[in-house]
Amino acid sequence: MTATMIHKPAVEDRTPSSSSPLLRLQLAPTGSAPALIDGAWWPRSRDLTAELPALVAVLDPLWGRITRVTVNPTFWPVVPRRVPVHGHVVKVGWFRAEQDPHKLLLLSYTVGRWDLLVIPPGTSAVTAARLMTTATDPSLSLTASGLIQEAEFFRTAAEADWDSARERVWDSEGGQDIRRTASHGPAAVGLDRVPMPAAGR
């Protein structure tokens, strides 16, 4: 069983070492200016019944007892009405038009409301780490969907750079000459131009 980890600068000034399990939750620094997002959560699945108890177990001592959670059902196949967590029950609701589909809203009796970016479970560790850092940067004010779109842009750009780098290596190792020779040599016969044997042969 892997424990959910949290890095909260006000609570702990050291960052997890490279040997630590993957970071699944990161919160904005305490006392930072109000932002659209209070942190980022990277659940392992889209099963709220399975994922919420570990999240609430970490947040209850920090934020007061979490009593309600709302989601946009776009990315959650099942939205249970109640989820039993450690010692109490969290009521779960949903809003389609009113709530960003990449956001989880949490309410506490005693303290108030928090909004977490929900990083899609299948996200790579590198992209998830970038999203967590960006989501908890007090100087930025992007919506949850804006953060996801920005991450997708960076991922696509990185893949394009990688493809371009592979192409340069290929060309530097003689691949360009092979391509040029092939393009000026005898034309390759396409499958639709292969002569068919005459009937009866």
Side-chain angles (χ1 to χ4, degrees):
M1 179 175 158
T2 305
T4 301
M5 293 182 61
I6 181 169
H7 173 62
K8 189 174 176 70
V11 175
E12 184 174 85
D13 291 327
R14 58 185 176 80
T15 55
S17 69
S18 58
S19 62
S20 298
L22 289 175
L23 189 66
R24 308 302 292 194
L25 174 68
Q26 189 164 327
L27 303 176
T30 300
S32 59
L36 297 175
I37 300 292
D38 299 300
W41 177 46
W42 185 23
R44 299 178 191 282
S45 73
R46 289 290 187 178
D47 181 350
L48 283 169
T49 303
E51 299 295 336
L52 278 179
L55 177 66
V56 171
V58 172
L59 296 179
D60 271 357
L62 297 172
W63 289 350
R65 178 174 282 196
I66 304 298
T67 56
R68 289 182 177 272
V69 169
T70 66
V71 297
N72 181 313
T74 301
F75 297 116
W76 300 98
V78 176
V79 180
R81 289 180 180 260
R82 297 168 182 266
V83 174
V85 299
H86 308 278
H88 66 289
V89 172
V90 172
K91 294 180 181 176
V92 182
W94 60 270
F95 298 99
R96 192 174 297 279
E98 299 89 346
Q99 186 165 332
D100 188 315
H102 295 287
K103 186 166 74 173
L104 180 80
L105 187 148
L106 302 110
L107 297 166
S108 165
Y109 272 138
T110 55
V111 184
R113 162 188 166 166
W114 294 270
D115 298 328
L116 294 181
L117 166 70
V118 178
I119 300 171
T123 303
S124 72
V126 171
T127 300
R130 184 184 299 117
L131 278 165
M132 287 187 180
T133 300
T134 307
T136 55
D137 182 347
S139 67
L140 297 179
S141 289
L142 289 173
T143 64
S145 285
L147 288 163
I148 295 292
Q149 288 168 359
E150 182 182 71
E152 182 61 22
F153 171 79
F154 282 123
R155 188 191 63 75
T156 304
E159 284 180 0
D161 286 346
W162 172 247
D163 288 344
S164 177
R166 285 193 310 182
E167 188 76 17
R168 286 193 301 273
V169 169
W170 168 261
D171 289 346
S172 71
E173 293 178 350
Q176 190 174 29
D177 294 334
I178 293 169
R179 194 182 308 119
R180 190 178 300 119
T181 303
S183 65
H184 293 297
V189 179
L191 290 178
D192 58 342
R193 296 185 182 172
V194 174
M196 299 300 289
R201 290 191 177 179

